[in-house]
Amino acid sequence: MAKVVADISVSLDGFVTGPEPGPGQGLGLGGEALHLWAFEGDAIDKTVLAESTDATGAVVMGRALFDVVDGPDGWNDEVGYGAGLAAQPPVLVVTRVPPAEVRLADRFTFVVDGIASAVEKGRSLADDRDVVIMGGGATVRGAIEAGVVDELRLHLAPVLLGGGTKLFEGATPRRLRQIHVRASGHATHLTYRVD
């Protein structure tokens, strides 16, 4: 059965975006520093990224993140989840209302009945590969709250953003079991078991 992995980059002060994120502004003011490990990373970062994308059978994201990645400055043939792979994984977008137009229509399916439904659909598409919940923050937090996450992978970026989207604001207190740590020059990659 597919493992469900919530996978997201976060600043030292707990933000997954900088201030004012959105279409045309991506991850907000200073938010690009969260993903330096993915774009300019060293050998450790490249290994972490390759292992994750190679193991992914389906991706789940929220509507706010979709609006960024489907925007004019978003994903393309060189940038995006699985860009450069022979077969890019299907992406399920959790939303109340699907958009009227989609630039990258062949990659996205819209799920209007919640995160648990999106994860279940992802499991059916992923076979025995991972279902990766890549964000945004509210989607990752909602999936953990819904009890559908097996592992949480945080890519802790050495940056203080001072504002933006908090990852765990309003989350239910819980203990996690740390199962893996890898440090690079651009991030500390942390993996936790969510019980």
Side-chain angles (χ1 to χ4, degrees):
M1 186 170 189
K3 177 172 56 177
V4 179
V5 178
D7 188 305
I8 195 164
S9 296
V10 63
S11 68
L12 288 173
D13 51 351
F15 294 97
V16 296
T17 73
E20 302 177 33
Q25 293 181 224
L27 293 174
L29 303 172
E32 67 281 346
L34 294 169
H35 290 157
L36 285 179
W37 73 270
F39 292 107
E40 300 176 13
D42 60 22
I44 292 169
D45 298 315
K46 289 177 180 161
T47 299
V48 168
L49 188 60
E51 288 173 358
S52 180
T53 55
D54 290 347
T56 301
V59 175
V60 175
M61 71 171 60
R63 176 61 187 268
L65 180 58
F66 166 79
D67 288 342
V68 171
V69 302
D70 196 54
D73 298 321
W75 288 358
N76 56 42
D77 290 338
E78 290 82 39
V79 177
Y81 202 98
L85 296 178
Q88 296 176 346
V91 179
L92 301 159
V93 179
V94 181
T95 184
R96 289 189 182 103
V97 180
E101 292 184 30
V102 179
R103 180 174 61 89
L104 302 171
D106 59 327
R107 298 244 0 237
F108 298 99
T109 301
F110 298 93
V111 180
V112 297
D113 52 349
I115 187 69
S117 177
V119 166
E120 197 54 41
K121 288 174 175 63
R123 283 184 192 271
S124 69
L125 294 169
D127 295 322
D128 289 331
R129 301 176 79 205
D130 294 347
V131 175
V132 175
I133 303 168
M134 66 174 287
T139 303
V140 167
R141 186 173 53 253
I144 292 170
E145 294 291 324
V148 297
V149 175
D150 300 310
E151 284 184 8
L152 172 63
R153 292 186 194 148
L154 298 177
H155 309 285
L156 187 61
V159 61
L160 298 172
L161 292 174
T165 306
K166 279 278 197 186
L167 178 56
F168 293 117
E169 187 168 35
T172 301
R174 70 179 67 237
R175 295 184 66 93
L176 305 175
R177 184 166 42 99
Q178 185 170 291
I179 56 176
H180 202 261
V181 177
R182 281 193 251 189
S184 75
H186 296 283
T188 303
H189 305 282
L190 304 159
T191 304
Y192 299 93
R193 180 81 190 156
V194 180
D195 296 320

